[in-house]
Amino acid sequence: MTTTRRKLVAGNWKMNGLTASMAELVEMCDANPTNCDVIVCPPFPLLGRFVGSAGNSHIEIGAQDCHTAESGAHTGDVSAALIKDVGATAVIVGHSERRTDHGEQSGLIKAKAEAALANGLTAIVCIGETEAERDAGNAEALVTAQMRASLPAGATAANTVVAYEPVWAIGTGRTPTTEQIASMHAALRTALKADLGEEGHGIRILYGGSVKPGNAAEIFAIPDVDGGLIGGASLKATDFLGIVSAA
Ligand code: PGA
């Protein structure tokens, strides 16, 4: 068990940003952080432009969802093949907003992650419990099962990232305690290692949900927290760069 995991900070812009928001990306790329891996995931229409703008910087560009199929009659959907073709390197799948807004379940998310891998993209697979599930006291078993059902076949440390995001912490300003995060990440790591051995040791587990410049260093210092998936605070270069520098 010798693999060291390099930290990753990924920004999820969700349905935010217009062409004018390119200025924020340009500022991030000018800063060109190299202390950790950085991925910015804009809405689809900006994907190709963000790739162009990121140019030779260390910042990589990702998408927020993909379809399971290579191409075909799926109006409004985007294939992993096209995401790869425009120069993005990663795709988020299974975000709780996709699970809630579009009824996506873990089986579909696993298939999307497999489409990502088949096209040479890194799959960032999101999991997390609702507040009711946390209150019911079985969050760790539930989220571990969700992870096992959502991870792609062929997951390795190089092609797959797990993002633990408690639904009740997303966009709310509330975060779990250090102990709750540590305990969940340890449970997920144990499951990954049991299922995937050395690769399970190397797969990065991000924490997401109300990460800000002010709490990032504390969260990133928790054992088995290998970086963050950042929503609101990824939209402004100064906030996002503050989080990145904490990694
Ligand atoms: P937040 O979102 O940082 O705005 O809480 C995180 C996410 O949904 O990925």
Side-chain angles (χ1 to χ4, degrees):
M1 296 293 171
T2 50
T3 322
T4 37
R5 294 183 298 269
R6 184 170 156 84
K7 284 212 168 23
L8 165 64
V9 177
N12 173 12
W13 279 31
K14 309 188 179 183
M15 200 175 72
N16 297 298
L18 298 168
T19 50
S21 319
M22 299 285 297
E24 298 296 331
L25 178 73
V26 168
E27 196 178 327
M28 293 172 194
C29 293
D30 285 349
N32 199 21
T34 55
N35 61 304
C36 64
D37 293 340
V38 181
I39 302 176
V40 176
C41 303
F44 276 126
L46 295 177
L47 199 58
R49 296 180 66 162
F50 269 47
V51 168
S53 200
N56 296 326
S57 83
H58 288 97
I59 295 183
E60 297 191 13
I61 304 301
Q64 299 174 16
D65 180 46
C66 67
H67 197 274
T68 56
E70 282 293 300
S71 63
H74 302 287
T75 303
D77 281 314
V78 176
S79 69
L82 177 57
I83 293 167
K84 176 72 173 177
D85 184 56
V86 301
T89 58
V91 58
I92 298 168
V93 294
H95 191 280
S96 69
E97 287 148 17
R98 300 284 321 168
R99 291 180 190 257
T100 304
D101 293 357
H102 300 275
E104 294 191 6
Q105 294 185 346
S106 297
L108 174 66
I109 289 152
K110 175 184 165 82
K112 289 183 173 198
E114 287 168 354
L117 267 45
N119 284 280
L121 296 169
T122 298
I124 303 174
V125 180
C126 301
I127 50 176
E129 82 284 3
T130 63
E131 183 154 38
E133 289 164 346
R134 165 69 57 182
D135 291 345
N138 60 350
E140 284 171 20
L142 194 141
V143 174
T144 301
Q146 200 184 29
M147 179 178 75
R148 285 187 157 130
S150 303
L151 279 181
T156 67
N159 66 22
T160 301
V161 173
V162 171
Y164 165 58
E165 300 200 297
V167 178
W168 50 275
I170 294 175
T172 60
R174 296 167 58 202
T175 53
T177 63
T178 299
E179 291 71 28
Q180 285 172 327
I181 296 174
S183 177
M184 180 65 78
H185 281 242
L188 296 174
R189 177 68 61 207
T190 299
L192 285 173
K193 286 202 282 201
D195 295 353
L196 302 169
E198 182 67 16
E199 293 299 333
H201 175 78
I203 288 177
R204 290 177 286 193
I205 309 175
L206 310 184
Y207 168 79
S210 297
V211 179
K212 305 276 185 271
N215 63 14
E218 192 184 341
I219 291 171
F220 295 164
I222 299 170
D224 277 308
V225 173
D226 305 309
L229 182 56
I230 320 299
S234 71
L235 297 168
K236 288 271 168 269
T238 44
D239 289 343
F240 191 58
L241 290 169
I243 294 169
V244 167
S245 66

